[in-house]
Amino acid sequence: MSVYNHRSMVPPTSTRLVELLDTMKNEYDQLAQEVMAFKSQRDEFEHKVNGQNQEMTLFKQYLVELERSQHIIKKQYEEEISRLRQQLDQLNSGPPSSQPPSSASANIPNYGGAYGAPPPPSGLPPPPPMMDTKPPLHSSYDHHSPYMNGGSPLPTSTPPAPQQQQLTPGRPSTSKPTTPMQGLNDIDPESVPEDMKIEGQDWFALFNPKAPRYLKVDLVHTFDHSSVVCCVKFSFDGRYLAAGCNQATYIYDTQSSMKVAVLQDETAGRDGDLYIRSVSFSPDGKYLATGAEDKQIRIWDIAKNRIRNVLAGHEQDIYSLEFSRDGRILVSGSGDRTARIWDWEGGYCTHVLHIKDPDQKDPGVTSVAVSPDGRLVAAGSLDKVVRVWDAHTGKHLERLEGHKDSVYSVAFMPDGKTLVSGSLDKTLRLWTLGNPQGGKVASKQVFTGHKDFVLSVATTPDGKWIVSGSKDRGVQFWDPRTGLTEFMLQGHKNSVISVATSPGRKPLFATGSGDNRARIWSYEPIGP
């Protein structure tokens, strides 16, 4: 056998190369998969980073806007404080005046038009309350609103120039009987001791340093609306608050602040403004009376959210409504120079209380009140007079004169023998009723201290306090025994058009303003 006759012991070179290539290819595929996985992880990480960067950018923009808003608010507060300080300096440096200036030399403010401009049609009270930025009105006399900053009512022929009074704290009024003028509106809040002021987020209260402090005050609820809040009123049990606005009336739960009803007459149309000027709950809380610019009084069934009946008869806007405490009658006041007493359940008028004074050119009724025993009806009017009638017979009983300008609000004290009135002459007056001689009644007390029109007054159920709201944007609590201010509250950005106190157990009061807000406040005794 030949030594060359055998098989080779070494595999061919080409086979070995193929195996090596396969091994390398497998390793490459594995590495490629790992690279793809890493790339996917990288993309996901970059996506998260980009998202976080966007969030950081938005957050930085938010911080810039927040700082800008804070700067604007700080600047507004500084300007307001500077303005108040300037006014205080002017008042302190100016000579005291005890006599009103003559009409020729009076410093007559600019009321948005010529002071001698023609008045609105006879018998028509001023238009609905306005904000600083005036919304359009369909009224032909919308340039004479006392509620606007810079606006003024011209309800009659050109009135005499208003008496210029110094509001320096402690200076007595020239009215008799004299009452110390506190002028809390003129005090710089920063100069008041900490124990004589309370500050909230957007409000503050200053207590009278010349009177003992009895109360503390706090904000309970705020209700924002899309229009001016013309009126506020509590139910007799204090559980609900009604707020009259443009086109609708809103009812809120005073404890939870929940909106429980929106009362709006769909048949009245929504083309123009229809301000709800007055509201009043029936004593049982089942019904709400509303008065508006369309001359009609609507009685609403609150639970059913529908109109029970409509009381027609007034010839001008309805400016005030009040149920008697026994619920038998409803009294209304209108620009048509009348107050009316209604059997509201029967749907008819029992008495029309006319103002027939021949010397009064414009005695439109702006406010009505019913005495706690239901025997008397009082009405304030544009002719500066407060009148009192017998609610059962409709007989005129008393005429209360003393205000220097239109009377915009009246309210009975709980004793039923005393009446409070607020006027565009910037004062409140306290009257004692029951003059046996039937002559003119002099005011028992004069409250001076507001810097502008007094638009609304109310009394607390215990008779210890009188509350007033003014075009000067402030609310003041007054002690009827001394005539002194307990505190001045600044809690709105526009005129305080309406104030109301709660008849319920918890001491609450409400405010309605041209800043489109209604607010509920608490007032409680300090100490144990």
Side-chain angles (χ1 to χ4, degrees):
M1 182 178 196
S2 172
V3 296
Y4 300 102
N5 188 14
H6 65 274
R7 299 182 65 181
S8 176
M9 300 300 293
V10 181
T13 303
S14 60
T15 304
R16 179 63 178 170
L17 289 175
V18 170
E19 290 177 352
L20 291 173
L21 288 174
D22 288 341
T23 301
M24 293 177 64
K25 183 175 182 299
N26 291 335
E27 292 178 352
Y28 176 81
D29 290 341
Q30 184 177 357
L31 289 172
Q33 291 177 0
E34 292 177 355
V35 168
M36 291 297 294
F38 281 123
K39 183 179 180 181
S40 176
Q41 292 176 357
R42 183 199 65 184
D43 293 342
E44 183 179 356
F45 179 74
E46 289 179 349
H47 178 72
K48 290 181 179 179
V49 170
N50 291 333
Q52 291 177 349
N53 288 336
Q54 292 178 357
E55 291 178 357
M56 288 295 295
T57 301
L58 292 175
F59 183 70
K60 289 179 180 178
Q61 292 176 353
Y62 171 76
L63 287 178
V64 171
E65 292 297 328
L66 182 61
E67 290 176 355
R68 185 180 302 169
S69 300
Q70 290 177 339
H71 177 72
I72 293 174
I73 294 173
K74 180 181 178 181
K75 185 177 179 181
Q76 290 175 345
Y77 272 110
E78 290 176 348
E79 291 176 350
E80 183 70 12
I81 291 172
S82 176
R83 183 184 66 82
L84 291 173
R85 284 176 175 169
Q86 290 176 1
Q87 291 181 354
L88 180 60
D89 292 340
Q90 291 173 0
L91 290 171
N92 289 335
S93 61
S97 173
S98 59
Q99 297 296 330
S102 64
S103 58
S105 62
N107 180 22
I108 300 174
N110 181 8
Y111 288 132
Y115 190 76
S122 177
L124 297 183
M130 303 275 70
M131 299 182 295
D132 287 343
T133 303
K134 181 179 179 182
L137 288 180
H138 65 279
S139 169
S140 62
Y141 49 94
D142 60 347
H143 295 288
H144 311 297
S145 171
Y147 307 99
M148 288 185 60
N149 294 330
S152 170
L154 294 176
T156 63
S157 57
T158 305
Q163 180 175 350
Q164 302 298 313
Q165 296 178 329
Q166 293 295 105
L167 296 180
T168 306
R171 185 181 300 278
S173 166
T174 57
S175 304
K176 295 182 179 181
T178 59
T179 301
M181 297 179 65
Q182 299 311 307
L184 293 181
N185 284 289
D186 297 317
I187 298 178
D188 182 358
E190 295 181 359
S191 66
V192 178
E194 291 298 326
D195 61 338
M196 297 301 288
K197 65 181 178 181
I198 302 176
E199 296 184 79
Q201 183 176 3
D202 59 353
W203 62 273
F204 67 88
L206 302 182
F207 289 83
N208 188 355
K210 297 183 179 297
R213 181 178 171 183
Y214 298 105
L215 299 174
K216 57 183 177 180
V217 61
D218 198 5
L219 177 63
V220 180
H221 299 303
T222 298
F223 308 106
D224 291 307
H225 302 86
S226 60
S227 78
V228 170
V229 179
C230 301
C231 52
V232 289
K233 187 68 73 72
F234 285 94
S235 60
F236 277 67
D237 59 4
R239 183 177 177 182
Y240 300 108
L241 178 75
C245 300
N246 190 11
Q247 297 281 356
T249 302
Y250 302 87
I251 300 179
Y252 301 96
D253 187 300
T254 59
Q255 293 184 354
S256 66
S257 78
M258 294 291 293
K259 185 188 300 180
V260 298
V262 179
L263 308 179
Q264 183 169 4
D265 188 351
E266 300 294 338
T267 65
R270 301 187 182 182
D271 296 335
D273 293 327
L274 183 63
Y275 285 90
I276 310 301
R277 302 292 194 83
S278 53
V279 293
S280 184
F281 282 94
S282 63
D284 59 10
K286 295 181 179 180
Y287 303 100
L288 184 77
T290 62
E293 296 179 304
D294 60 0
K295 312 171 189 178
Q296 293 185 342
I297 302 170
R298 295 170 175 85
I299 309 296
W300 293 85
D301 185 319
I302 298 174
K304 297 180 180 179
N305 201 349
R306 69 183 185 185
I307 298 174
R308 179 187 185 275
N309 58 321
V310 175
L311 307 179
H314 277 297
E315 299 175 1
Q316 294 294 343
D317 301 5
I318 312 298
Y319 288 96
S320 185
L321 293 169
E322 186 164 303
F323 278 98
S324 61
R325 292 193 179 183
D326 60 9
R328 294 183 179 181
I329 63 171
L330 174 69
V331 180
S332 58
S334 168
D336 63 7
R337 308 184 180 194
T338 70
R340 296 181 182 236
I341 301 176
W342 304 85
D343 182 324
W344 63 276
E345 291 184 291
Y348 60 90
C349 179
T350 59
H351 296 290
V352 179
L353 311 177
H354 291 278
I355 299 178
K356 300 179 179 180
D357 301 28
D359 59 332
Q360 302 298 334
K361 295 182 179 180
D362 193 358
V365 175
T366 58
S367 178
V368 294
V370 184
S371 62
D373 59 9
R375 295 181 179 181
L376 302 176
V377 170
S381 62
L382 295 175
D383 62 4
K384 314 173 190 177
V385 180
V386 179
R387 296 172 176 84
V388 181
W389 290 270
D390 186 301
H392 299 301
T393 64
K395 179 182 177 181
H396 180 260
L397 299 177
E398 294 187 77
R399 176 187 175 100
L400 313 179
E401 297 183 72
H403 280 296
K404 308 302 182 184
D405 207 334
S406 301
V407 178
Y408 255 56
S409 186
V410 293
F412 276 96
M413 296 292 286
D415 61 9
K417 301 176 182 179
T418 315
L419 189 70
V420 183
S421 57
S423 167
L424 300 191
D425 65 9
K426 308 177 187 178
T427 71
L428 292 78
R429 288 179 180 257
L430 191 64
W431 313 84
T432 299
L433 305 180
N435 186 355
Q437 284 75 31
K440 293 184 178 179
V441 179
S443 54
K444 176 182 178 181
Q445 189 77 264
V446 180
F447 305 87
T448 53
H450 276 296
K451 293 175 65 67
D452 215 322
F453 305 141
V454 178
L455 302 177
S456 183
V457 297
T459 65
T460 58
D462 57 9
K464 292 183 178 180
W465 305 103
I466 295 171
V467 190
S468 59
S470 169
K471 185 175 177 285
D472 64 16
R473 309 183 184 187
V475 174
Q476 295 203 32
F477 259 57
W478 308 85
D479 187 333
R481 298 164 297 179
T482 64
L484 298 177
T485 303
E486 167 71 1
F487 67 81
M488 182 274 293
L489 170 69
Q490 284 283 345
H492 286 283
K493 298 179 181 179
N494 209 301
S495 304
V496 179
I497 303 167
S498 180
V499 294
T501 56
S502 172
R505 294 182 178 180
K506 188 173 182 179
L508 301 173
F509 69 97
T511 52
S513 171
D515 65 3
N516 297 7
R517 280 182 166 182
R519 285 185 148 180
I520 295 179
W521 311 81
S522 65
Y523 64 97
E524 295 178 323
I526 58 175

